[in-house]
Amino acid sequence: MSEANIEENDQQQNQVLTDAESHIKQACDMLQREAARLRHEQRAIDAMSKKLEHIHFTSTIQLNVGGHRFTTSLQTLTKDPNSMLAAMFSGKFEMKPTDDGAFFIDRDGTHFRFILNYLRSGELILPEGATFLKELEAEAKFYQIQGILDELVPKFPKNFEESVILTNEEHRNVLSGWLPPLEGKWQLLMRASQDGFAAQTFHSKCDNKGPTVTIVKRGNNIFGGFTETSWNSQNIYLYCSQSFLFSMVNPQGVAPSKMPLANNQRKAIFCYCSHGPTFGGGFDLHISNDADLNDSSYSNLGYSYQLPTGHQSTFFTGAKYFCVTDYEVFGTYQ
């Protein structure tokens, strides 16, 4: 082998050694970084262990909630992982009991037993007719227990879902869209086929109830009216500004129609002890006493309420006088 070849071979070997040394150095650096990371994690674990040893929650925990004493378990207090109680007793925060061994929570403890019982059983059980729901809601918000907050939300039916007349969901949605914004949901005040068709029944169940919606059925035809003013029995016309009549199903096959007040808002509704719900100064829609037994109910559309273009005052049923198959009255509640 020539001297030049020997020199070239030495250079190649030196390069191989240099590359190997570089790889080894990189591997050592990586191992050192990993070792440093593991030492850091171990120190964090040791610190947490010391904190937990310092806190030392037992399986049974004494609580003093605003002067009210409770005994419960760590398992109960941490039952809801998203609650403040679970966070407080998770060991992540330094908490010390008072001299008597109880953990003090600076809240009114009057209703705390319902909080604990819910965490124990997963069921909110309250005394019948409980009047402290707002206070309990405030405590549930403080402790961040969403399950209790969900239980306290009233389980109201959707608007007019109780109706046996307006069974078409699309019609219910249309009617809801026509109504002005009001507090609360709509609940059934009376159903004639269930409670009776007497005018006295209507007034006993619907007078002084605030805004109402009346839904009437005659055969296959469905119609009615809304008023924001309470009914009464005083033989008097009453002023309204938002009242309207409506038709959902009619003999003409016209799509659902809203008929707002056209004039004479001072005579939007007529209240009389011997009449059922009556709209308009000319009785645009009148439901009579014992409306299922006679044809004294009638419509005279176009007097106070706007008559649909191209149609007659008999638009609702095709006849001026009619016998009522059924009618319902809904009112709002908070």
Side-chain angles (χ1 to χ4, degrees):
M1 181 180 298
S2 66
E3 185 175 342
N5 290 337
I6 292 174
E7 183 176 353
E8 181 180 355
N9 188 49
D10 289 342
Q11 289 177 349
Q12 291 175 349
Q13 290 180 354
N14 289 337
Q15 184 61 47
V16 169
L17 291 173
T18 299
D19 292 343
E21 289 175 354
S22 177
H23 290 313
I24 291 172
K25 185 177 184 304
Q26 291 176 3
C28 288
D29 290 343
M30 183 181 68
L31 289 173
Q32 288 175 351
R33 289 194 299 272
E34 184 65 16
R37 185 184 66 80
L38 291 173
R39 286 195 297 272
H40 177 74
E41 289 184 356
Q42 186 60 51
R43 284 195 294 269
I45 292 172
D46 291 343
M48 181 61 73
S49 296
K50 289 180 181 179
K51 181 180 289 188
L52 290 174
E53 289 173 3
H54 175 70
I55 296 172
H56 188 58
F57 289 128
T58 61
S59 58
T60 302
I61 294 177
Q62 302 292 322
L63 296 176
N64 178 353
V65 184
H68 296 257
R69 308 285 299 207
F70 300 91
T71 300
T72 186
S73 68
L74 180 61
Q75 181 182 10
T76 294
L77 291 174
T78 56
K79 189 76 168 289
D80 183 344
N82 298 314
S83 72
M84 181 179 289
L85 289 170
M88 290 167 63
F89 291 92
S90 66
K92 296 179 182 179
F93 305 97
E94 186 172 349
M95 291 186 60
K96 297 180 181 179
T98 55
D99 293 341
D100 62 0
F103 291 91
F104 178 72
I105 300 177
D106 190 13
R107 295 290 293 182
D108 185 349
T110 306
H111 309 305
F112 189 74
R113 67 187 181 95
F114 299 110
I115 302 284
L116 277 184
N117 286 336
Y118 175 81
L119 291 174
R120 288 166 178 148
S121 66
E123 184 179 5
L124 181 62
I125 301 175
L126 301 174
E128 186 175 351
T131 59
F132 51 83
L133 301 186
K134 284 292 184 183
E135 297 171 40
L136 182 59
E137 180 182 11
E139 295 306 299
K141 285 180 179 178
F142 174 79
Y143 294 111
Q144 299 176 19
I145 302 178
Q146 188 60 46
I148 293 180
L149 294 174
D150 292 341
E151 288 283 338
L152 291 174
V153 174
K155 307 263 187 317
F156 295 133
K158 294 180 180 179
N159 281 346
F160 310 112
E161 195 173 46
E162 297 173 278
S163 177
V164 299
I165 299 175
L166 205 61
T167 57
N168 184 306
E169 184 176 4
E170 183 178 346
H171 289 167
R172 293 199 299 265
N173 292 336
V174 169
L175 178 56
S176 297
W178 285 338
L179 295 169
L182 295 169
E183 294 292 333
K185 293 286 187 179
W186 291 97
Q187 69 168 343
L188 182 68
L189 298 178
M190 73 155 287
R191 176 178 296 125
S193 60
Q194 170 184 296
D195 302 312
F197 286 79
Q200 181 181 0
T201 301
F202 162 69
H203 287 287
S204 67
K205 291 182 173 292
C206 305
D207 280 3
N208 306 309
K209 299 294 187 180
T212 55
V213 172
T214 300
I215 304 173
V216 185
K217 183 174 184 180
R218 160 58 180 162
N220 294 323
N221 303 308
I222 299 173
F223 49 96
F226 162 79
T227 175
E228 78 274 21
T229 303
S230 290
W231 297 102
N232 64 56
S233 305
Q234 298 175 7
N235 191 18
I236 188 173
Y237 283 101
L238 294 177
Y239 171 89
C240 304
S241 62
Q242 298 177 298
S243 296
F244 63 85
L245 297 177
F246 64 86
S247 169
M248 289 297 174
V249 181
N250 49 71
Q252 295 79 14
V254 176
S257 304
K258 176 183 178 181
M259 287 147 268
L261 274 165
N263 55 64
N264 206 351
Q265 295 179 338
R266 284 189 294 247
K267 293 186 175 182
I269 62 173
F270 180 65
C271 301
Y272 184 48
C273 61
S274 296
H275 289 175
T278 300
F279 294 80
F283 287 17
D284 295 61
L285 175 60
H286 165 62
I287 305 301
S288 69
N289 181 45
D290 294 330
D292 61 326
L293 302 177
N294 57 66
D295 58 359
S296 297
S297 299
Y298 65 90
S299 64
N300 186 27
L301 269 174
Y303 191 92
S304 295
Y305 292 84
Q306 182 177 311
L307 182 66
T309 304
H311 293 280
Q312 305 297 317
S313 61
T314 57
F315 178 70
F316 285 142
T317 67
K320 181 173 182 178
Y321 296 95
F322 53 86
C323 180
V324 173
T325 305
D326 198 0
Y327 77 93
E328 301 169 326
V329 181
F330 287 80
T332 58
Y333 63 120
Q334 303 299 317

